[in-house]
Amino acid sequence: MDPVPPAHPLRRTPIQQRSADRLARILDACAELLDETGYENLSTRAVALRAGVPIGSVYRFFGNKRAMAIALAHRNLDHYADGIEQRLADLPGAEWRPVVDAVLDEYLAMKRSVPGFALVDFGVPAPPPEGPASDPNHLVAVRLTELLGVHLALTPDAALQRAVLVAVEATDALIKLAFRSDAAGDPDIVAETRAMMHAYLARVLD
């Protein structure tokens, strides 16, 4: 199962810092409005107004709101990977359980604090993805396999990639349940999720 690069949602990649800053403001506004209005009521015009940019600036980067939300999801995934790397910098590479805990803890931290993350974490709510290249959990699993492989000095073979993908799918479902039960994430369900991750991944990491 080789990593598949996702299709890039940007019409134009910013080159100058001014353009990159404008793109960041657009995505920040998109995230804020997702929390306020939901995905169905999100509009490129509302995002432009919130970001303080002309509507043409939004369309310079994105063809529609779905492309904009996908770009936000990609940014979230990059920030997630960066946050994990920061956590792993303080952990030894000899024991995998604290590493898995760091992966879960960073996701929980983003779930609780990042605007728009409840609706668009690493993928948009609709329509369903078409194949692995656009499946959010597949993309997350690929990044996590790379991070685990580097930190724990493991070969990211098919067995490890498959185990991480299954763990990501199961954890995603359980964390959604935890946040449906409690706005901050039901601590008992989170604890059960952590225990599940340890028990399942022990098959390939012990």
Side-chain angles (χ1 to χ4, degrees):
M1 185 170 67
D2 295 326
V4 180
H8 206 287
L10 294 179
R11 278 179 162 175
R12 179 178 301 179
T13 301
I15 298 174
Q16 298 181 342
Q17 187 60 45
R18 179 181 176 185
S19 183
D21 291 343
R22 181 170 291 185
L23 173 60
R25 290 205 310 275
I26 290 170
L27 293 180
D28 288 344
C30 175
E32 293 171 4
L33 287 169
L34 280 168
D35 282 340
E36 296 173 17
T37 70
Y39 179 76
E40 291 302 320
N41 294 320
L42 183 70
S43 72
T44 52
R45 185 168 298 278
V47 168
L49 288 172
R50 176 64 61 91
V53 302
I55 186 65
S57 293
V58 176
Y59 285 119
R60 187 171 297 119
F61 292 115
F62 308 109
N64 51 46
K65 73 174 185 180
R66 176 173 170 78
M68 184 167 51
I70 291 173
L72 178 63
H74 286 188
R75 187 176 75 167
N76 285 342
L77 182 53
D78 287 340
H79 288 178
Y80 180 50
D82 290 344
I84 291 171
E85 287 185 327
Q86 291 176 18
R87 289 175 184 266
L88 296 187
D90 298 325
L91 296 176
E95 173 54 47
W96 63 266
R97 285 173 180 81
V99 174
V100 170
D101 287 341
V103 168
L104 178 59
D105 290 340
E106 181 62 22
Y107 182 68
L108 292 170
M110 292 185 69
K111 192 85 170 171
R112 292 167 178 149
S113 65
V114 174
F117 200 76
L119 285 178
V120 174
D121 48 11
F122 307 124
V124 298
E130 297 178 359
S134 60
D135 177 70
N137 283 344
H138 176 90
L139 299 178
V140 172
V142 167
R143 295 290 285 274
L144 290 181
T145 301
E146 293 171 353
L147 290 169
L148 291 175
V150 170
H151 190 77
L152 298 172
L154 299 172
T155 301
D157 57 16
L160 179 60
Q161 292 185 40
R162 184 170 55 250
V164 171
L165 177 60
V166 171
V168 167
E169 290 282 358
T171 300
D172 181 38
L174 289 171
I175 294 302
K176 285 177 180 175
L177 174 62
F179 279 82
R180 285 200 305 269
S181 303
D182 184 325
D186 184 290
D188 293 330
I189 296 176
V190 170
E192 291 292 330
T193 303
R194 197 180 302 276
M196 180 277 298
M197 293 174 68
H198 287 178
Y200 175 71
L201 289 173
R203 299 167 57 252
V204 293
L205 296 179
D206 270 346

